[in-house]
Amino acid sequence: MKKLFTLFSIILSSVIYSQNIQTELFLNENQIEEAFKSDSRIEKLFTQNSKDSILVIAEIKNDSLFSIYMKNNGQKNVQLLPQDNKLTLIQEAFAQDNKWKPIEFWINSDCGMSYLKKINVRSGEIIGVSSKKYKGNFKTKIRFKLLIDNKVYYSNSITASINKSKFEKSIWYNRFKEMYYPDKSEKEVENIFFLNK
């Protein structure tokens, strides 16, 4: 209960100080689009020949959101267990040292109420997700990193702009680290928060 209250207060603080989210490393806030319907334009985005069982395509939706499409490219149905209607997903950006680096992190909820609804994605089916688009003066490439069943999938990259401070560990990162993983090493926490498998 203490963790839940702390989590709630951090998220409430983030709403109050939402302007800082543009400049600081923060939680991914994606949402599965319940009313999403694929169409021929979206299906054409997946024309590449790939053997991956999950394909991820991202595009700019508007000035403040990305659209992410996840396709089950395998022969079997895929069972997803979203957390509060979110996929386990973060954004990464291409840094000046020519490496992909996280500009968001992920926290696994320890509340059972966060995992009430399973999603069955049939073979060939596409689902839609929206995620925040940041602004800044550093032009770079953005991609999405998706974790499903301990396997990582990456989206295409998109040209966008962020603040360079998004690469730095923020007060939010440190608060969640202290709250959830006080006894883990920094590398262990990074692996969890940044979906490294």
Side-chain angles (χ1 to χ4, degrees), residues 123-183:
S123 176
E125 185 178 359
I126 300 169
I127 64 170
V129 178
S130 62
S131 189
K132 188 169 189 66
K133 180 179 178 290
Y134 302 107
K135 300 175 180 74
N137 56 14
F138 176 57
K139 189 174 180 181
T140 186
K141 299 277 188 187
I142 301 292
R143 72 179 182 185
F144 287 85
K145 183 178 187 179
L146 172 66
L147 181 67
I148 298 177
D149 293 332
N150 285 321
K151 186 167 180 185
V152 169
Y153 302 92
Y154 292 98
S155 76
N156 56 305
S157 62
I158 304 167
T159 300
S161 295
I162 61 167
N163 287 299
K164 288 183 184 176
S165 54
K166 290 289 288 174
F167 292 116
E168 300 166 13
K169 291 176 182 167
S170 63
I171 188 171
W172 309 107
Y173 176 97
N174 291 319
R175 282 183 184 172
F176 280 110
K177 176 186 160 192
E178 290 166 13
M179 180 172 64
Y180 283 93
Y181 304 109
D183 300 326

Side-chain angles (χ1 to χ4, degrees), residues 24-26 102-105 166 168-170 172-173 194:
E24 296 180 357
L25 183 75
F26 196 70
I103 59 169
E104 295 179 325
F105 60 98
K166 290 289 288 174
E168 300 166 13
K169 291 176 182 167
S170 63
W172 309 107
Y173 176 97
F194 298 147

Side-chain angles (χ1 to χ4, degrees), residues 43-54:
E43 288 169 13
K44 284 179 185 173
L45 297 174
F46 291 95
T47 56
Q48 77 272 24
N49 191 7
S50 175
K51 294 186 178 182
D52 283 342
S53 59
I54 300 292

